Amino acid sequence: MRRADPIKVLFSLFVLPFPLLYTKTPFVATITSQVCRSNKSPWVCLTCSSVHCGRYVNGHAKKHYEDAQVPMTNHKKTEKQEKVQHTVCMDCSSYSTYCYRCDDFVVNDTKLGLVQKVREHLQNLENSAFTSDRHRKRKLLENSSLNSKLLKVNGSTTALCATGLRNLGNTCFMNAILQSLSNIQQFCCYFKELPAVELRNGKTAGRRTYHTRSQGDNNVSLVEEFRKTLCALWQGSQTAFSPESLFYVVWKIMPNFRGYQQQDAHEFMRYLLDHLHLELQGGFNGVSRSVILQENATLSASNKCCINGASTVVTAIFGGILQNEVNCLICGTESRKFDPFLDLSLDIPSQFRNKRTKNQENGPMCTLRDCLRSFTDLEELDETELYMCHKCKKKQKSTKKFWIQKLPKVLCLHLKRFHWTAYLRNKVDTYVEFPLRGLDMKCYLLEPENSGPESCLYDLAAVVVHHGSGVGSGHYTAYAAHEGRWFHFNDSTVTLTDEETVVKAKAYILFYVERQAKSGSDKL
């Protein structure tokens, strides 16, 4: 963000009395908008300390800024007087700072570190206010609802060990992907077993920290923050984990995801895996390069799917290879190309796009097999995709067909639910039936005869679901299997669920894990 006078108001906020900072009741829950009394996404003006709701509620924080821009006609001002600019505000939930004049989030700090001081002061008050409340809620959960759910599902009183992820402001897209990846054991265990990197030392070690631009990029490691987040999950904590350090790194290295607007979960997953792959190839912040390179060498020896360099755990787990066959319809020339992939994006066939629910009786049910068949079947390219035939020396009509040359250990299937029209992006809300066990991919292989009897069978590990009507709105949640039980991850809330509920979900992203041992189950 460019230099702006409103940053100076942080000093006045820290020095002048600010009644909201001294409440003895739970902090964020009691802060409400002065206009609409909403306690959702409260934003405090750092000039006058007034509280208004954020842009995704009723937008009164932005209106407060706009009203302050109107010239004060009823008051005389001398030439030395400057109009007060109410341009900088802070999110009371995530403590992110935003400047309306620059229309951007503030990631730097003042020379005196006033932003950091304000955040630490707010955090201390929040921790103090929530201590007794969290203790009470934890006892209630342990003694009643959690145990009753477990009794209902499997007849035991085993404590619920899943941990939710705090929503930092429309970050459900990130939370759903992180929870899904945390339940892919081979992938998750690799990162959890990496040596830790101590990015902070001295007085701030072990405390909640907020990064600023003045720290530079040397302390930024996506692998390290991803490792910390995975380690925080499945530890038995009933308090949701806040992934703001990881989100900060995402902002740093993935500019597309800066801000707090809703993002596409599939796009985030691809960016995340790509950047993890790139960083793992060269080591990261203080971790011995030999440790990473030794692991990568082992992966490379057993995996031939390399994307942008040497193989890493990303390509070893998610990497597969497609064979793309294109045939010229004029001269019959065939062109073959091998493309590595980390996931497959599947169209929902047009004949099923009006069937929204599982029980709707207007034709056959759309299945995952229909989507896979549509992806791999022979297709004639339209006029906008004419093939440049090397024999004909010009673009010609042609056909295209995909074969899977190599299957990955974890098969990630993305259903294309969002389609652009002339003016907006529509969502395909069709229910697609998918199997929990025994997804058989053998018929889509280039050389199925070279595969073992069970090497092509996959069992479902996680499902990401988009709730709502558009990509820029709605909400993401995830279902995932852990030690034989299914959980529903809805940001901070984690609940036990059953297979019947999972199969009714309108899947957006499906994660299937290659079956390692024989088990009696039906094939797709």
Side-chain angles (χ1 to χ4, degrees):
M1 191 187 84
R2 65 178 184 271
R3 277 187 179 275
D5 293 334
I7 293 297
K8 296 179 181 178
V9 303
L10 292 170
F11 179 74
S12 63
L13 170 65
F14 192 68
V15 174
L16 295 177
F18 185 30
L20 285 173
L21 299 185
Y22 302 100
T23 176
K24 293 183 180 180
T25 55
F27 186 65
V28 176
T30 60
I31 298 180
T32 59
S33 170
Q34 295 177 193
V35 178
C36 62
R37 313 308 300 172
S38 172
N39 62 354
K40 295 180 180 179
S41 185
W43 289 59
V44 58
C45 174
L46 298 189
T47 300
C48 63
S49 77
S50 61
V51 177
H52 298 88
C53 61
R55 63 176 64 189
Y56 297 106
V57 185
N58 294 316
H60 288 126
K62 184 177 181 181
K63 188 176 185 302
H64 174 71
Y65 155 71
E66 292 172 345
D67 291 344
Q69 310 309 303
V70 179
M72 294 181 288
T73 56
N74 298 328
H75 298 82
K76 294 182 178 180
K77 297 190 297 181
T78 64
E79 294 182 358
K80 293 183 179 180
Q81 287 179 317
E82 296 181 1
K83 189 177 74 171
V84 176
Q85 300 288 337
H86 298 245
T87 58
V88 181
C89 55
M90 180 177 285
D91 186 338
C92 298
S93 300
S94 64
Y95 306 144
S96 59
T97 309
Y98 187 84
C99 177
Y100 279 108
R101 183 196 294 180
C102 302
D103 193 25
D104 199 2
F105 287 88
V106 182
V107 295
N108 57 322
D109 204 340
T110 64
K111 291 183 179 180
L112 297 176
L114 296 178
V115 177
Q116 178 71 7
K117 290 180 181 179
V118 170
R119 285 168 170 160
E120 289 179 352
H121 185 53
L122 290 172
Q123 181 58 35
N124 290 335
L125 289 167
E126 182 183 358
N127 290 339
S128 176
F130 273 114
T131 299
S132 59
D133 189 55
R134 286 173 176 172
H135 180 73
R136 180 181 62 83
K137 288 182 178 180
R138 186 181 297 113
K139 286 295 183 182
L140 288 173
L141 289 171
E142 290 175 353
N143 296 332
S144 58
S145 61
L146 291 181
N147 286 342
S148 63
K149 289 179 182 178
L150 288 172
L151 283 168
K152 183 177 180 181
V153 174
N154 57 14
S156 73
T157 55
T158 307
L160 186 66
C161 55
T163 300
L165 285 169
R166 183 178 176 185
N167 193 313
L168 306 178
N170 283 319
T171 56
C172 56
F173 69 92
M174 178 178 74
N175 292 347
I177 293 298
L178 293 175
Q179 293 286 14
S180 299
L181 295 177
S182 75
N183 286 282
I184 298 173
Q185 296 305 312
Q186 289 176 291
F187 186 70
C188 180
C189 289
Y190 175 90
F191 287 94
K192 290 168 69 173
E193 293 173 0
L194 287 175
V197 177
E198 296 299 329
L199 299 180
R200 306 277 293 187
N201 297 309
K203 296 181 179 179
T204 58
R207 292 171 52 192
R208 181 178 181 178
T209 60
Y210 291 88
H211 303 272
T212 63
R213 186 176 295 172
S214 59
Q215 288 179 264
D217 292 335
N218 293 331
N219 288 335
V220 171
S221 169
L222 180 63
V223 172
E224 171 63 4
E225 294 304 334
F226 184 68
R227 184 196 68 81
K228 288 180 180 178
T229 302
L230 294 181
C231 288
L233 303 176
W234 298 105
Q235 294 299 310
S237 173
Q238 301 302 329
T239 303
F241 177 74
S242 184
E244 72 264 3
S245 294
L246 175 61
F247 197 39
Y248 163 80
V249 176
V250 169
W251 279 23
K252 277 283 189 181
I253 65 177
M254 305 179 199
N256 298 22
F257 297 95
R258 288 178 184 171
Y260 292 93
Q261 65 272 24
Q262 182 64 277
Q263 302 281 359
D264 182 73
H266 174 250
E267 184 180 4
F268 172 75
M269 182 196 74
R270 287 304 312 269
Y271 272 90
L272 177 67
L273 293 179
D274 287 344
H275 282 278
L276 287 172
H277 171 66
L278 292 174
E279 190 171 317
L280 284 169
Q281 291 182 74
F284 61 98
N285 288 334
V287 173
S288 171
R289 291 175 62 90
S290 61
V291 174
I292 299 296
L293 295 176
Q294 184 177 358
E295 293 282 351
N296 291 345
T298 303
L299 294 170
S300 298
S302 59
N303 180 64
K304 296 180 180 180
C305 178
C306 299
I307 301 173
N308 296 328
S311 177
T312 66
V313 67
V314 175
T315 55
I317 299 286
F318 292 96
I321 300 176
L322 282 176
Q323 177 176 291
N324 184 359
E325 292 181 357
V326 179
N327 285 276
C328 176
L329 291 177
I330 306 302
C331 68
T333 300
E334 182 181 89
S335 173
R336 294 181 181 180
K337 185 174 68 172
F338 291 95
D339 298 315
F341 68 88
L342 295 178
D343 70 307
L344 298 178
S345 290
L346 311 178
D347 281 306
I348 296 175
S350 57
Q351 65 267 31
F352 298 109
R353 291 187 184 176
N354 292 325
K355 189 175 178 63
R356 297 190 173 187
T357 64
K358 186 175 182 180
N359 300 322
Q360 201 170 340
E361 298 179 0
N362 60 343
M365 176 78 65
C366 180
T367 68
L368 187 59
R369 186 166 188 169
D370 292 319
C371 300
L372 285 165
R373 188 185 298 114
S374 175
F375 178 79
T376 56
D377 276 354
L378 188 68
E379 172 191 5
E380 184 173 340
L381 300 177
D382 58 32
E383 296 292 335
T384 62
E385 299 178 296
L386 293 179
Y387 164 66
M388 182 64 188
C389 179
H390 298 290
K391 187 175 182 180
C392 298
K393 304 298 182 182
K394 64 178 181 178
K395 292 185 176 181
Q396 301 282 28
K397 288 187 176 181
S398 58
T399 60
K400 178 181 69 174
K401 180 174 175 58
F402 283 119
W403 293 97
I404 298 177
Q405 199 267 343
K406 176 187 176 296
L407 283 166
K409 293 181 179 178
V410 174
L411 178 64
C412 180
L413 301 176
H414 161 237
L415 299 180
K416 295 181 181 179
R417 291 197 174 272
F418 300 105
H419 289 270
W420 285 105
T421 61
Y423 301 102
L424 48 86
R425 199 176 189 185
N426 288 331
K427 181 183 178 183
V428 180
D429 207 27
T430 302
Y431 172 77
V432 177
E433 188 176 46
F434 56 90
L436 290 180
R437 302 175 189 86
L439 172 61
D440 193 349
M441 296 295 294
K442 192 169 186 177
C443 60
Y444 310 108
L445 282 178
L446 179 63
E447 299 175 344
E449 65 277 3
N450 296 332
S451 303
E454 288 209 354
S455 61
C456 303
L457 292 182
Y458 287 81
D459 298 324
L460 190 66
V463 185
V464 174
V465 181
H466 178 268
H467 311 268
S469 58
V471 66
S473 60
H475 183 59
Y476 286 99
T477 65
Y479 294 95
H482 185 82
E483 296 181 352
R485 294 180 294 174
W486 280 95
F487 293 84
H488 184 213
F489 299 92
N490 185 1
D491 288 334
S492 300
T493 305
V494 182
T495 55
L496 275 166
T497 187
D498 51 39
E499 295 182 352
E500 289 74 17
T501 302
V502 177
V503 296
K504 292 178 182 177
K506 293 180 181 178
Y508 181 48
I509 306 173
L510 296 152
F511 296 88
Y512 280 94
V513 178
E514 183 182 38
R515 184 177 295 177
Q516 298 297 321
K518 292 184 179 180
S519 64
S521 60
D522 296 329
K523 297 180 182 180
L524 176 63

